[in-house]
Each structure stands twice: as C-alpha cells, then as structure tokens.
Amino acid sequence: MIAAEQFHAEACFDLAVSYEIGVGVKKNLPLAFKYYQKAALLGDKQSIYETGRCYVQGNIKN
C-alpha cells in the first residue's frame, strides 16, 4: 500500500486487483477502480484496459 501511495504503477495495479477480488483486504470495487485509474494514469497498459472494463461493468462510484 505504501508503494501505491508513492505512485508506483505496478503497486497501484496489484492493489486494485486485491480490492477487486478481496485477497488480503475486504472486497471494495470503488477502491479497485480508484487504483486501476491511478495506475492507468501512470502508464500501466493493463490498468487502462481494467479501467474501461470497470466503466462497462458499472464498478465505479464517487
């Protein structure tokens, strides 16, 4: 989590996956979206896809 807060794209992606699946943390889809989006903005290509998937599936809340 510390690495994600320091803007490491891979750490943000890994944290997003954990929140989406609920591995090691309580499942939280809006938080997963937040970290996918953060990683996408940092240039992680898989996160760009996952961000779009979250929009299509409706896994976003402000």
Side-chain angles (χ1 to χ4, degrees), residues 1-34:
M1 191 175 260
I2 294 170
E5 295 301 326
Q6 293 178 354
F7 302 104
H8 293 283
E10 289 180 23
C12 291
F13 176 79
D14 290 343
L15 191 54
V17 171
S18 293
Y19 277 118
E20 184 171 18
I21 298 171
V23 175
V25 293
K26 186 175 178 183
K27 188 173 182 176
N28 187 326
L29 296 179
L31 227 94
F33 173 75
K34 172 188 169 184

Side-chain angles (χ1 to χ4, degrees), residues 35-55:
Y35 282 105
Y36 280 136
Q37 191 173 38
K38 191 175 196 179
L41 292 172
L42 291 169
D44 184 77
K45 292 178 183 176
Q46 183 64 35
S47 293
I48 295 168
Y49 169 82
E50 298 298 340
T51 300
R53 184 183 54 76
C54 288
Y55 273 113

